[in-house]
Amino acid sequence: MEYTPIVIDHFTNPRNMGELKDANGIGEVGNTRCGDVMKMYVKIEDDVICDVKFKTFGCVAAIASSSMATTMIKGKKISDALKIKNQDVLKALGGLPAIKIHCSVLAEEAIKSAISDYYVRLGVDPVPIVGKIVSQV
Ligand code: FES
């Protein structure tokens, strides 16, 4: 399977790329096998993700997945953002080659990691809300 036009579009024209200066949650995840790293910044107000940006050092699929993931959580309530699974990112991208599925997992975990950091900053244990994040760095 080759990359879908949606994947190519998000890779060549990534949405919400960069850093968020006033982020109140920053997550970082990585895959030790491929060495790709994904950083996600969120600004949360009243339980809503008002803004989000990402920086990904990784493959085409990792960049497209993180770009797509940011569009899927922007403006969403935390509880809804946490419902987004890698399968949802995959579906939105029109699929990924089998060996690239883990790139979408990284995007799901980057969202969780950023939200998790938001709770840590508030002094709240994130694990009961966000769950365990396997690829957090
Ligand atoms: Fe590892 Fe894409 S090859 S994140």
Side-chain angles (χ1 to χ4, degrees):
M1 182 189 174
E2 300 198 340
Y3 289 129
T4 67
I6 307 172
V7 173
I8 302 290
D9 176 39
H10 275 263
F11 171 66
T12 51
N13 178 26
R15 324 297 198 267
N16 307 305
M17 193 164 68
E19 281 181 35
L20 204 57
K21 293 278 175 260
D22 55 350
N24 54 6
I26 302 175
E28 192 168 354
V29 292
N31 183 294
T32 46
R33 282 204 186 168
C34 62
D36 290 359
V37 176
M38 210 178 266
K39 204 163 177 178
M40 199 166 279
Y41 304 77
V42 289
K43 179 158 199 295
I44 298 175
E45 268 170 25
D46 297 329
D47 272 350
V48 171
I49 300 171
C50 320
D51 209 355
V52 52
K53 286 206 185 293
F54 80 93
K55 267 166 87 177
T56 292
F57 301 95
C59 70
V60 171
I63 290 166
S65 296
S66 29
S67 167
M68 181 58 87
T70 61
T71 68
M72 293 170 81
I73 65 166
K74 199 168 181 174
K76 288 244 165 74
K77 287 175 73 175
I78 295 176
S79 53
D80 291 328
L82 287 173
K83 284 184 198 136
I84 295 170
K85 302 287 171 220
N86 83 296
Q87 287 91 341
D88 302 312
V89 176
L90 272 178
K91 205 169 157 197
L93 289 171
L96 281 173
I99 56 158
K100 293 287 176 181
I101 303 293
H102 76 274
C103 318
S104 64
V105 174
L106 225 46
E108 176 191 327
E109 294 232 301
I111 296 171
K112 286 184 177 167
S113 175
I115 294 173
S116 190
D117 181 54
Y118 166 74
Y119 282 119
V120 169
R121 291 180 193 212
L122 291 177
V124 176
D125 178 9
V127 179
I129 306 165
V130 180
K132 285 240 183 294
I133 304 164
V134 186
S135 47
Q136 190 145 13
V137 290

PDB file of all heavy atoms in Angstrom, residues 3 31 33-38 56-63 99-100 102-104 106, ligand 1:
ATOM      1  N   TYR A   3       1.130   5.597   0.167  1.00  0.00           N
ATOM      2  CA  TYR A   3       0.478   6.640   0.960  1.00  0.00           C
ATOM      3  C   TYR A   3      -0.727   7.214   0.224  1.00  0.00           C
ATOM      4  O   TYR A   3      -0.679   7.437  -0.985  1.00  0.00           O
ATOM      5  CB  TYR A   3       1.473   7.762   1.265  1.00  0.00           C
ATOM      6  CG  TYR A   3       2.544   7.369   2.255  1.00  0.00           C
ATOM      7  CD1 TYR A   3       3.887   7.567   1.981  1.00  0.00           C
ATOM      8  CD2 TYR A   3       2.197   6.808   3.484  1.00  0.00           C
ATOM      9  CE1 TYR A   3       4.868   7.210   2.894  1.00  0.00           C
ATOM     10  CE2 TYR A   3       3.166   6.443   4.405  1.00  0.00           C
ATOM     11  CZ  TYR A   3       4.505   6.650   4.106  1.00  0.00           C
ATOM     12  OH  TYR A   3       5.462   6.298   5.005  1.00  0.00           O
ATOM     13  N   ASN A  31       9.346   6.322  19.524  1.00  0.00           N
ATOM     14  CA  ASN A  31       9.414   4.895  19.246  1.00  0.00           C
ATOM     15  C   ASN A  31      10.874   4.507  19.178  1.00  0.00           C
ATOM     16  O   ASN A  31      11.622   5.025  18.349  1.00  0.00           O
ATOM     17  CB  ASN A  31       8.688   4.589  17.928  1.00  0.00           C
ATOM     18  CG  ASN A  31       8.655   3.113  17.633  1.00  0.00           C
ATOM     19  OD1 ASN A  31       9.680   2.501  17.393  1.00  0.00           O
ATOM     20  ND2 ASN A  31       7.469   2.540  17.653  1.00  0.00           N
ATOM     21  N   ARG A  33      12.330   1.841  18.263  1.00  0.00           N
ATOM     22  CA  ARG A  33      12.769   1.057  17.099  1.00  0.00           C
ATOM     23  C   ARG A  33      13.152   1.947  15.918  1.00  0.00           C
ATOM     24  O   ARG A  33      14.192   1.767  15.318  1.00  0.00           O
ATOM     25  CB  ARG A  33      11.667   0.113  16.659  1.00  0.00           C
ATOM     26  CG  ARG A  33      11.580  -1.093  17.530  1.00  0.00           C
ATOM     27  CD  ARG A  33      10.932  -2.214  16.777  1.00  0.00           C
ATOM     28  NE  ARG A  33      10.722  -3.347  17.658  1.00  0.00           N
ATOM     29  CZ  ARG A  33       9.963  -4.374  17.335  1.00  0.00           C
ATOM     30  NH1 ARG A  33       9.343  -4.398  16.189  1.00  0.00           N
ATOM     31  NH2 ARG A  33       9.834  -5.374  18.161  1.00  0.00           N
ATOM     32  N   CYS A  34      12.250   2.896  15.597  1.00  0.00           N
ATOM     33  CA  CYS A  34      12.544   3.734  14.425  1.00  0.00           C
ATOM     34  C   CYS A  34      13.234   5.031  14.821  1.00  0.00           C
ATOM     35  O   CYS A  34      13.783   5.719  13.981  1.00  0.00           O
ATOM     36  CB  CYS A  34      11.264   4.032  13.655  1.00  0.00           C
ATOM     37  SG  CYS A  34      10.066   4.960  14.622  1.00  0.00           S
ATOM     38  N   GLY A  35      13.158   5.382  16.117  1.00  0.00           N
ATOM     39  CA  GLY A  35      13.818   6.588  16.599  1.00  0.00           C
ATOM     40  C   GLY A  35      13.019   7.855  16.395  1.00  0.00           C
ATOM     41  O   GLY A  35      13.501   8.956  16.668  1.00  0.00           O
ATOM     42  N   ASP A  36      11.784   7.723  15.914  1.00  0.00           N
ATOM     43  CA  ASP A  36      10.963   8.912  15.670  1.00  0.00           C
ATOM     44  C   ASP A  36      10.426   9.493  16.984  1.00  0.00           C
ATOM     45  O   ASP A  36      10.092   8.749  17.900  1.00  0.00           O
ATOM     46  CB  ASP A  36       9.787   8.569  14.756  1.00  0.00           C
ATOM     47  CG  ASP A  36      10.257   8.279  13.332  1.00  0.00           C
ATOM     48  OD1 ASP A  36      11.464   8.369  13.100  1.00  0.00           O
ATOM     49  OD2 ASP A  36       9.411   7.978  12.484  1.00  0.00           O
ATOM     50  N   VAL A  37      10.368  10.816  17.030  1.00  0.00           N
ATOM     51  CA  VAL A  37       9.919  11.501  18.241  1.00  0.00           C
ATOM     52  C   VAL A  37       8.838  12.513  17.889  1.00  0.00           C
ATOM     53  O   VAL A  37       8.935  13.221  16.886  1.00  0.00           O
ATOM     54  CB  VAL A  37      11.108  12.230  18.935  1.00  0.00           C
ATOM     55  CG1 VAL A  37      10.623  13.018  20.143  1.00  0.00           C
ATOM     56  CG2 VAL A  37      12.178  11.252  19.352  1.00  0.00           C
ATOM     57  N   MET A  38       7.818  12.558  18.721  1.00  0.00           N
ATOM     58  CA  MET A  38       6.682  13.448  18.493  1.00  0.00           C
ATOM     59  C   MET A  38       6.450  14.276  19.749  1.00  0.00           C
ATOM     60  O   MET A  38       6.381  13.728  20.844  1.00  0.00           O
ATOM     61  CB  MET A  38       5.468  12.554  18.247  1.00  0.00           C
ATOM     62  CG  MET A  38       4.402  13.107  17.357  1.00  0.00           C
ATOM     63  SD  MET A  38       3.107  11.863  17.157  1.00  0.00           S
ATOM     64  CE  MET A  38       3.600  11.054  15.655  1.00  0.00           C
ATOM     65  N   THR A  56       7.347  17.111  15.051  1.00  0.00           N
ATOM     66  CA  THR A  56       7.661  15.692  14.895  1.00  0.00           C
ATOM     67  C   THR A  56       8.956  15.524  14.121  1.00  0.00           C
ATOM     68  O   THR A  56       9.129  16.107  13.055  1.00  0.00           O
ATOM     69  CB  THR A  56       6.506  14.970  14.156  1.00  0.00           C
ATOM     70  OG1 THR A  56       5.370  14.961  15.011  1.00  0.00           O
ATOM     71  CG2 THR A  56       6.864  13.538  13.806  1.00  0.00           C
ATOM     72  N   PHE A  57       9.852  14.750  14.717  1.00  0.00           N
ATOM     73  CA  PHE A  57      11.067  14.363  14.009  1.00  0.00           C
ATOM     74  C   PHE A  57      10.851  12.918  13.606  1.00  0.00           C
ATOM     75  O   PHE A  57      11.041  12.014  14.410  1.00  0.00           O
ATOM     76  CB  PHE A  57      12.288  14.530  14.924  1.00  0.00           C
ATOM     77  CG  PHE A  57      12.451  15.940  15.398  1.00  0.00           C
ATOM     78  CD1 PHE A  57      11.934  16.339  16.620  1.00  0.00           C
ATOM     79  CD2 PHE A  57      13.095  16.879  14.611  1.00  0.00           C
ATOM     80  CE1 PHE A  57      12.050  17.649  17.056  1.00  0.00           C
ATOM     81  CE2 PHE A  57      13.223  18.194  15.041  1.00  0.00           C
ATOM     82  CZ  PHE A  57      12.690  18.581  16.266  1.00  0.00           C
ATOM     83  N   GLY A  58      10.371  12.728  12.403  1.00  0.00           N
ATOM     84  CA  GLY A  58      10.042  11.359  12.039  1.00  0.00           C
ATOM     85  C   GLY A  58       9.675  11.211  10.588  1.00  0.00           C
ATOM     86  O   GLY A  58       9.891  12.101   9.771  1.00  0.00           O
ATOM     87  N   CYS A  59       9.079  10.084  10.309  1.00  0.00           N
ATOM     88  CA  CYS A  59       8.774   9.692   8.941  1.00  0.00           C
ATOM     89  C   CYS A  59       7.538  10.424   8.410  1.00  0.00           C
ATOM     90  O   CYS A  59       6.853  11.128   9.140  1.00  0.00           O
ATOM     91  CB  CYS A  59       8.551   8.192   8.891  1.00  0.00           C
ATOM     92  SG  CYS A  59       7.028   7.719   9.715  1.00  0.00           S
ATOM     93  N   VAL A  60       7.263  10.190   7.145  1.00  0.00           N
ATOM     94  CA  VAL A  60       6.099  10.792   6.481  1.00  0.00           C
ATOM     95  C   VAL A  60       4.820  10.486   7.255  1.00  0.00           C
ATOM     96  O   VAL A  60       4.008  11.372   7.542  1.00  0.00           O
ATOM     97  CB  VAL A  60       5.975  10.229   5.042  1.00  0.00           C
ATOM     98  CG1 VAL A  60       4.663  10.648   4.394  1.00  0.00           C
ATOM     99  CG2 VAL A  60       7.158  10.658   4.192  1.00  0.00           C
ATOM    100  N   ALA A  61       4.652   9.218   7.631  1.00  0.00           N
ATOM    101  CA  ALA A  61       3.426   8.791   8.314  1.00  0.00           C
ATOM    102  C   ALA A  61       3.324   9.414   9.706  1.00  0.00           C
ATOM    103  O   ALA A  61       2.222   9.734  10.165  1.00  0.00           O
ATOM    104  CB  ALA A  61       3.386   7.275   8.419  1.00  0.00           C
ATOM    105  N   ALA A  62       4.452   9.593  10.373  1.00  0.00           N
ATOM    106  CA  ALA A  62       4.437  10.194  11.710  1.00  0.00           C
ATOM    107  C   ALA A  62       4.030  11.663  11.621  1.00  0.00           C
ATOM    108  O   ALA A  62       3.247  12.152  12.440  1.00  0.00           O
ATOM    109  CB  ALA A  62       5.817  10.060  12.360  1.00  0.00           C
ATOM    110  N   ILE A  63       4.545  12.355  10.637  1.00  0.00           N
ATOM    111  CA  ILE A  63       4.207  13.771  10.465  1.00  0.00           C
ATOM    112  C   ILE A  63       2.737  13.917  10.059  1.00  0.00           C
ATOM    113  O   ILE A  63       1.992  14.722  10.646  1.00  0.00           O
ATOM    114  CB  ILE A  63       5.164  14.439   9.449  1.00  0.00           C
ATOM    115  CG1 ILE A  63       6.547  14.549  10.094  1.00  0.00           C
ATOM    116  CG2 ILE A  63       4.647  15.821   9.029  1.00  0.00           C
ATOM    117  CD1 ILE A  63       7.675  14.880   9.152  1.00  0.00           C
ATOM    118  N   ILE A  99       3.304  -1.472   7.943  1.00  0.00           N
ATOM    119  CA  ILE A  99       4.517  -1.220   8.737  1.00  0.00           C
ATOM    120  C   ILE A  99       4.545   0.198   9.315  1.00  0.00           C
ATOM    121  O   ILE A  99       5.453   0.550  10.061  1.00  0.00           O
ATOM    122  CB  ILE A  99       5.819  -1.471   7.938  1.00  0.00           C
ATOM    123  CG1 ILE A  99       5.839  -0.632   6.670  1.00  0.00           C
ATOM    124  CG2 ILE A  99       6.033  -2.928   7.639  1.00  0.00           C
ATOM    125  CD1 ILE A  99       7.249  -0.403   6.125  1.00  0.00           C
ATOM    126  N   LYS A 100       3.533   0.996   8.959  1.00  0.00           N
ATOM    127  CA  LYS A 100       3.477   2.378   9.436  1.00  0.00           C
ATOM    128  C   LYS A 100       2.351   2.604  10.451  1.00  0.00           C
ATOM    129  O   LYS A 100       2.091   3.744  10.855  1.00  0.00           O
ATOM    130  CB  LYS A 100       3.274   3.334   8.247  1.00  0.00           C
ATOM    131  CG  LYS A 100       4.466   3.374   7.314  1.00  0.00           C
ATOM    132  CD  LYS A 100       5.604   4.125   7.955  1.00  0.00           C
ATOM    133  CE  LYS A 100       6.849   4.112   7.116  1.00  0.00           C
ATOM    134  NZ  LYS A 100       7.949   4.818   7.769  1.00  0.00           N
ATOM    135  N   HIS A 102       2.309   1.892  13.535  1.00  0.00           N
ATOM    136  CA  HIS A 102       2.825   2.394  14.817  1.00  0.00           C
ATOM    137  C   HIS A 102       2.981   3.917  14.810  1.00  0.00           C
ATOM    138  O   HIS A 102       2.993   4.542  15.869  1.00  0.00           O
ATOM    139  CB  HIS A 102       4.146   1.706  15.191  1.00  0.00           C
ATOM    140  CG  HIS A 102       5.333   2.204  14.429  1.00  0.00           C
ATOM    141  ND1 HIS A 102       5.709   1.712  13.205  1.00  0.00           N
ATOM    142  CD2 HIS A 102       6.227   3.179  14.713  1.00  0.00           C
ATOM    143  CE1 HIS A 102       6.792   2.349  12.778  1.00  0.00           C
ATOM    144  NE2 HIS A 102       7.123   3.238  13.680  1.00  0.00           N
ATOM    145  N   CYS A 103       3.103   4.524  13.657  1.00  0.00           N
ATOM    146  CA  CYS A 103       3.224   5.979  13.573  1.00  0.00           C
ATOM    147  C   CYS A 103       1.922   6.633  14.057  1.00  0.00           C
ATOM    148  O   CYS A 103       1.954   7.677  14.716  1.00  0.00           O
ATOM    149  CB  CYS A 103       3.537   6.424  12.148  1.00  0.00           C
ATOM    150  SG  CYS A 103       4.757   5.400  11.296  1.00  0.00           S
ATOM    151  N   SER A 104       0.786   5.995  13.746  1.00  0.00           N
ATOM    152  CA  SER A 104      -0.494   6.546  14.204  1.00  0.00           C
ATOM    153  C   SER A 104      -0.675   6.304  15.705  1.00  0.00           C
ATOM    154  O   SER A 104      -1.326   7.092  16.395  1.00  0.00           O
ATOM    155  CB  SER A 104      -1.661   5.948  13.414  1.00  0.00           C
ATOM    156  OG  SER A 104      -1.775   4.566  13.646  1.00  0.00           O
ATOM    157  N   LEU A 106       1.702   6.489  17.806  1.00  0.00           N
ATOM    158  CA  LEU A 106       2.485   7.577  18.402  1.00  0.00           C
ATOM    159  C   LEU A 106       1.633   8.852  18.502  1.00  0.00           C
ATOM    160  O   LEU A 106       1.715   9.582  19.496  1.00  0.00           O
ATOM    161  CB  LEU A 106       3.719   7.831  17.529  1.00  0.00           C
ATOM    162  CG  LEU A 106       5.070   7.999  18.211  1.00  0.00           C
ATOM    163  CD1 LEU A 106       5.332   6.971  19.272  1.00  0.00           C
ATOM    164  CD2 LEU A 106       6.193   7.983  17.174  1.00  0.00           C
TER     165      LEU A 106
HETATM  166 FE1  FES B   1       8.361   5.141  13.310  1.00  0.00          FE
HETATM  167 FE2  FES B   1       6.987   6.355  11.498  1.00  0.00          FE
HETATM  168  S1  FES B   1       8.537   4.882  11.163  1.00  0.00           S
HETATM  169  S2  FES B   1       6.950   6.732  13.615  1.00  0.00           S
END
